[in-house]
PDB file of all heavy atoms in Angstrom:
ATOM      1  N   ALA A  60       3.729  -9.320  26.401  1.00  0.00           N
ATOM      2  CA  ALA A  60       3.174  -8.240  27.223  1.00  0.00           C
ATOM      3  C   ALA A  60       3.718  -6.867  26.840  1.00  0.00           C
ATOM      4  O   ALA A  60       3.072  -5.842  27.075  1.00  0.00           O
ATOM      5  CB  ALA A  60       3.444  -8.513  28.702  1.00  0.00           C
ATOM      6  N   ALA A  61       4.920  -6.821  26.262  1.00  0.00           N
ATOM      7  CA  ALA A  61       5.534  -5.539  25.912  1.00  0.00           C
ATOM      8  C   ALA A  61       4.675  -4.800  24.888  1.00  0.00           C
ATOM      9  O   ALA A  61       3.997  -5.410  24.050  1.00  0.00           O
ATOM     10  CB  ALA A  61       6.938  -5.769  25.370  1.00  0.00           C
ATOM     11  N   ARG A  62       4.706  -3.463  24.949  1.00  0.00           N
ATOM     12  CA  ARG A  62       3.889  -2.624  24.071  1.00  0.00           C
ATOM     13  C   ARG A  62       4.771  -1.650  23.297  1.00  0.00           C
ATOM     14  O   ARG A  62       5.848  -1.258  23.757  1.00  0.00           O
ATOM     15  CB  ARG A  62       2.880  -1.825  24.900  1.00  0.00           C
ATOM     16  CG  ARG A  62       1.973  -2.686  25.759  1.00  0.00           C
ATOM     17  CD  ARG A  62       0.770  -3.145  24.997  1.00  0.00           C
ATOM     18  NE  ARG A  62      -0.010  -4.134  25.712  1.00  0.00           N
ATOM     19  CZ  ARG A  62      -1.248  -4.494  25.371  1.00  0.00           C
ATOM     20  NH1 ARG A  62      -1.835  -3.919  24.339  1.00  0.00           N
ATOM     21  NH2 ARG A  62      -1.884  -5.424  26.042  1.00  0.00           N
ATOM     22  N   ASP A  63       4.289  -1.244  22.124  1.00  0.00           N
ATOM     23  CA  ASP A  63       5.007  -0.206  21.392  1.00  0.00           C
ATOM     24  C   ASP A  63       4.575   1.158  21.913  1.00  0.00           C
ATOM     25  O   ASP A  63       3.779   1.265  22.864  1.00  0.00           O
ATOM     26  CB  ASP A  63       4.762  -0.329  19.879  1.00  0.00           C
ATOM     27  CG  ASP A  63       3.299  -0.146  19.483  1.00  0.00           C
ATOM     28  OD1 ASP A  63       2.517   0.433  20.272  1.00  0.00           O
ATOM     29  OD2 ASP A  63       2.930  -0.575  18.382  1.00  0.00           O
ATOM     30  N   VAL A  64       5.110   2.240  21.320  1.00  0.00           N
ATOM     31  CA  VAL A  64       4.854   3.586  21.833  1.00  0.00           C
ATOM     32  C   VAL A  64       3.382   3.979  21.731  1.00  0.00           C
ATOM     33  O   VAL A  64       2.929   4.889  22.423  1.00  0.00           O
ATOM     34  CB  VAL A  64       5.730   4.618  21.098  1.00  0.00           C
ATOM     35  CG1 VAL A  64       7.193   4.394  21.403  1.00  0.00           C
ATOM     36  CG2 VAL A  64       5.480   4.579  19.589  1.00  0.00           C
ATOM     37  N   SER A  65       2.636   3.307  20.858  1.00  0.00           N
ATOM     38  CA  SER A  65       1.207   3.598  20.716  1.00  0.00           C
ATOM     39  C   SER A  65       0.337   2.709  21.592  1.00  0.00           C
ATOM     40  O   SER A  65      -0.888   2.819  21.574  1.00  0.00           O
ATOM     41  CB  SER A  65       0.781   3.448  19.247  1.00  0.00           C
ATOM     42  OG  SER A  65       1.468   4.374  18.427  1.00  0.00           O
ATOM     43  N   GLY A  66       0.976   1.782  22.350  1.00  0.00           N
ATOM     44  CA  GLY A  66       0.214   0.939  23.263  1.00  0.00           C
ATOM     45  C   GLY A  66      -0.220  -0.386  22.694  1.00  0.00           C
ATOM     46  O   GLY A  66      -1.008  -1.097  23.330  1.00  0.00           O
ATOM     47  N   TYR A  67       0.271  -0.763  21.509  1.00  0.00           N
ATOM     48  CA  TYR A  67      -0.112  -2.037  20.908  1.00  0.00           C
ATOM     49  C   TYR A  67       0.884  -3.128  21.309  1.00  0.00           C
ATOM     50  O   TYR A  67       2.096  -2.900  21.391  1.00  0.00           O
ATOM     51  CB  TYR A  67      -0.178  -1.921  19.386  1.00  0.00           C
ATOM     52  CG  TYR A  67      -1.263  -0.990  18.911  1.00  0.00           C
ATOM     53  CD1 TYR A  67      -0.970   0.326  18.555  1.00  0.00           C
ATOM     54  CD2 TYR A  67      -2.591  -1.417  18.854  1.00  0.00           C
ATOM     55  CE1 TYR A  67      -1.980   1.188  18.130  1.00  0.00           C
ATOM     56  CE2 TYR A  67      -3.601  -0.556  18.425  1.00  0.00           C
ATOM     57  CZ  TYR A  67      -3.290   0.745  18.068  1.00  0.00           C
ATOM     58  OH  TYR A  67      -4.279   1.592  17.661  1.00  0.00           O
ATOM     59  N   ALA A  68       0.363  -4.359  21.528  1.00  0.00           N
ATOM     60  CA  ALA A  68       1.208  -5.487  21.921  1.00  0.00           C
ATOM     61  C   ALA A  68       2.179  -5.844  20.805  1.00  0.00           C
ATOM     62  O   ALA A  68       1.887  -5.669  19.614  1.00  0.00           O
ATOM     63  CB  ALA A  68       0.347  -6.688  22.283  1.00  0.00           C
ATOM     64  N   LEU A  69       3.350  -6.376  21.193  1.00  0.00           N
ATOM     65  CA  LEU A  69       4.412  -6.693  20.257  1.00  0.00           C
ATOM     66  C   LEU A  69       4.582  -8.200  20.099  1.00  0.00           C
ATOM     67  O   LEU A  69       4.168  -8.984  20.949  1.00  0.00           O
ATOM     68  CB  LEU A  69       5.734  -6.091  20.749  1.00  0.00           C
ATOM     69  CG  LEU A  69       5.796  -4.576  20.850  1.00  0.00           C
ATOM     70  CD1 LEU A  69       7.078  -4.139  21.538  1.00  0.00           C
ATOM     71  CD2 LEU A  69       5.693  -3.942  19.463  1.00  0.00           C
ATOM     72  N   CYS A  70       5.227  -8.581  18.991  1.00  0.00           N
ATOM     73  CA  CYS A  70       5.613  -9.969  18.784  1.00  0.00           C
ATOM     74  C   CYS A  70       6.929 -10.239  19.517  1.00  0.00           C
ATOM     75  O   CYS A  70       7.709  -9.321  19.789  1.00  0.00           O
ATOM     76  CB  CYS A  70       5.798 -10.243  17.290  1.00  0.00           C
ATOM     77  SG  CYS A  70       4.260 -10.315  16.354  1.00  0.00           S
ATOM     78  N   PRO A  71       7.220 -11.496  19.838  1.00  0.00           N
ATOM     79  CA  PRO A  71       8.513 -11.818  20.437  1.00  0.00           C
ATOM     80  C   PRO A  71       9.659 -11.456  19.493  1.00  0.00           C
ATOM     81  O   PRO A  71       9.469 -11.304  18.278  1.00  0.00           O
ATOM     82  CB  PRO A  71       8.435 -13.333  20.664  1.00  0.00           C
ATOM     83  CG  PRO A  71       6.973 -13.674  20.593  1.00  0.00           C
ATOM     84  CD  PRO A  71       6.364 -12.686  19.661  1.00  0.00           C
ATOM     85  N   GLU A  72      10.853 -11.313  20.043  1.00  0.00           N
ATOM     86  CA  GLU A  72      12.030 -11.026  19.230  1.00  0.00           C
ATOM     87  C   GLU A  72      12.204 -12.112  18.171  1.00  0.00           C
ATOM     88  O   GLU A  72      12.117 -13.316  18.455  1.00  0.00           O
ATOM     89  CB  GLU A  72      13.273 -10.981  20.129  1.00  0.00           C
ATOM     90  CG  GLU A  72      14.555 -10.605  19.416  1.00  0.00           C
ATOM     91  CD  GLU A  72      14.607  -9.134  19.029  1.00  0.00           C
ATOM     92  OE1 GLU A  72      13.894  -8.321  19.675  1.00  0.00           O
ATOM     93  OE2 GLU A  72      15.346  -8.802  18.089  1.00  0.00           O
ATOM     94  N   GLY A  73      12.438 -11.696  16.922  1.00  0.00           N
ATOM     95  CA  GLY A  73      12.623 -12.648  15.834  1.00  0.00           C
ATOM     96  C   GLY A  73      11.328 -13.092  15.186  1.00  0.00           C
ATOM     97  O   GLY A  73      11.345 -13.926  14.277  1.00  0.00           O
ATOM     98  N   PHE A  74      10.198 -12.568  15.633  1.00  0.00           N
ATOM     99  CA  PHE A  74       8.887 -12.894  15.069  1.00  0.00           C
ATOM    100  C   PHE A  74       8.235 -11.606  14.540  1.00  0.00           C
ATOM    101  O   PHE A  74       8.529 -10.502  15.019  1.00  0.00           O
ATOM    102  CB  PHE A  74       7.967 -13.517  16.123  1.00  0.00           C
ATOM    103  CG  PHE A  74       8.321 -14.927  16.510  1.00  0.00           C
ATOM    104  CD1 PHE A  74       9.451 -15.203  17.282  1.00  0.00           C
ATOM    105  CD2 PHE A  74       7.530 -15.987  16.087  1.00  0.00           C
ATOM    106  CE1 PHE A  74       9.766 -16.493  17.642  1.00  0.00           C
ATOM    107  CE2 PHE A  74       7.846 -17.296  16.449  1.00  0.00           C
ATOM    108  CZ  PHE A  74       8.969 -17.546  17.225  1.00  0.00           C
ATOM    109  N   SER A  75       7.325 -11.758  13.590  1.00  0.00           N
ATOM    110  CA  SER A  75       6.587 -10.624  13.037  1.00  0.00           C
ATOM    111  C   SER A  75       5.129 -11.010  12.842  1.00  0.00           C
ATOM    112  O   SER A  75       4.799 -12.205  12.725  1.00  0.00           O
ATOM    113  CB  SER A  75       7.176 -10.189  11.684  1.00  0.00           C
ATOM    114  OG  SER A  75       8.523  -9.802  11.821  1.00  0.00           O
TER     115      SER A  75
END
Side-chain angles (χ1 to χ4, degrees):
R62 303 274 171 166
D63 62 20
V64 294
S65 298
Y67 295 98
L69 297 172
C70 287
E72 184 72 23
F74 287 72
S75 300

